[in-house]
Amino acid sequence: MTNLWIEEFEKLSISEQNMFRKCVNNILAKTFIISETYDDTTGMMKYNPEYRFIDRNFEIINTYLTYAGWNLLKDRNLGVIYIESEYEYNRLHLNSLTTLFIYTLRLLYDEEREKLTLRSTIPVTTYDVVSRLMTFNTLKKKPSDKDLSDTFKLLSRFNIIQKLSGEWIEPDCKFIIFPSILMVLPNDSIGRIFSSIEEYSALEAQPNSGDFNGIDEADVYEIDEADDTEPDVIRGEENQ
């Protein structure tokens, strides 16, 4: 199989081989490659050439990644190509606040998708996210500007959201939610997070209920990533 893979790779032109390297590096760094992304220069959505290249050369790229313990997957209906690791240690552990952000984004995505059935990307604002976050009793107060900025940047890094205009901490900052949110937080995980929020709400209603640490670690979703460098985000009590 190795010889066959090399033969297929060598059939590519020099520019295609360079594109191959670029696409492999990007999907290992970002986990998700989206079919359409926002172009700052035109102010419009445009087709992603990396998505097109990976889709066209799916088998050869998948074979290459398989040697390193990665599985390449795609959903053409949603326009998402992504990777999953065969090993547990290639995981990014998300804290409770980040998980609440993802949960909120998934709720907003589902609600708006029902109205805009022809679109796979959903536009929202920072205000939309924060106002929904504040409906959860797990938060005592509005997240700090640093928490907002760091969390949004982290999710943007993995092609879960993309900023359109403004600064992340501004209420009217506009960004889009990519359909990759459906892979990050699948249906069976939504119920577990909802149960954790309900549990906290019930405890809050009881006098002298004691402290509750929010979402249980078992409910925190883990994103596959090849880069083992810790991103610069708030991670629980140790960084506060």
Side-chain angles (χ1 to χ4, degrees):
M1 186 165 65
T2 302
N3 290 335
L4 289 175
W5 177 86
I6 293 176
E7 289 176 7
E8 290 300 314
F9 179 78
E10 290 179 344
K11 289 178 183 178
L12 301 175
S13 66
I14 298 299
S15 61
E16 287 175 327
Q17 290 180 9
N18 289 333
M19 187 64 163
F20 179 98
R21 297 183 183 97
K22 179 181 178 182
C23 289
V24 168
N25 273 275
N26 277 344
I27 200 166
L28 286 173
K30 300 177 180 294
T31 301
F32 301 101
I33 300 295
I34 312 299
S35 62
E36 288 188 315
T37 57
Y38 180 74
D39 184 5
D40 290 327
T41 57
T42 64
M44 299 174 62
M45 298 295 291
K46 70 172 185 179
Y47 205 80
N48 184 358
E50 291 185 18
Y51 179 93
R52 187 193 302 270
F53 182 87
I54 297 174
D55 186 38
R56 189 171 64 247
N57 298 278
F58 190 86
E59 291 305 322
I60 182 175
I61 295 175
N62 185 39
T63 301
Y64 176 80
L65 290 172
T66 298
Y67 288 120
W70 296 92
N71 295 316
L72 187 65
L73 305 165
K74 64 180 172 181
D75 188 319
R76 281 181 175 166
N77 291 329
L78 294 174
V80 182
I81 294 176
Y82 58 107
I83 54 171
E84 288 184 352
S85 173
E86 297 178 4
Y87 302 99
E88 290 298 321
Y89 50 77
N90 280 315
R91 302 281 175 145
L92 174 64
H93 297 268
L94 304 179
N95 63 12
S96 294
L97 178 61
T98 306
T99 303
L100 272 178
F101 269 75
I102 290 176
Y103 179 70
T104 302
L105 292 172
R106 174 65 199 262
L107 293 181
L108 292 172
Y109 184 90
D110 289 344
E111 291 170 3
E112 294 302 314
R113 186 78 187 278
E114 291 181 1
K115 306 174 189 176
L116 306 170
T117 54
L118 297 179
R119 301 182 61 172
S120 60
T121 57
I122 302 299
V124 294
T125 65
T126 295
Y127 174 80
D128 295 329
V129 176
V130 173
S131 60
R132 178 60 65 89
L133 275 171
M134 295 310 296
T135 65
F136 304 139
N137 288 330
T138 47
L139 290 180
K140 299 291 186 182
K141 59 182 179 179
K142 174 183 174 293
S144 68
D145 287 348
K146 178 171 175 53
D147 284 350
L148 280 174
S149 180
D150 286 344
T151 303
F152 281 139
K153 286 178 181 178
L154 175 65
L155 300 180
S156 176
R157 167 188 162 190
F158 287 103
N159 282 337
I160 298 169
I161 59 176
Q162 183 184 7
K163 185 167 62 175
L164 303 181
S165 64
E167 299 298 327
W168 289 118
I169 61 175
E170 297 172 350
D172 59 352
C173 173
K174 295 180 181 179
F175 60 95
I176 51 177
I177 309 172
F178 287 127
S180 50
I181 190 69
L182 301 175
M183 288 80 175
V184 174
L185 187 59
N187 292 335
D188 58 350
S189 296
I190 294 177
R192 293 200 306 271
I193 296 178
F194 178 77
S195 296
S196 295
I197 294 174
E198 288 291 292
E199 176 187 353
Y200 178 78
S201 298
L203 286 174
E204 278 288 280
Q206 300 175 11
N208 302 319
S209 60
D211 294 331
F212 182 74
N213 293 323
I215 296 172
D216 190 278
E217 185 177 353
D219 294 323
V220 178
Y221 186 82
E222 299 172 342
I223 298 175
D224 292 318
E225 65 166 359
D227 184 1
D228 60 0
T229 302
E230 289 291 317
D232 184 21
V233 296
I234 298 298
R235 292 187 180 279
E237 298 294 328
E238 68 273 17
N239 289 331
Q240 296 182 8

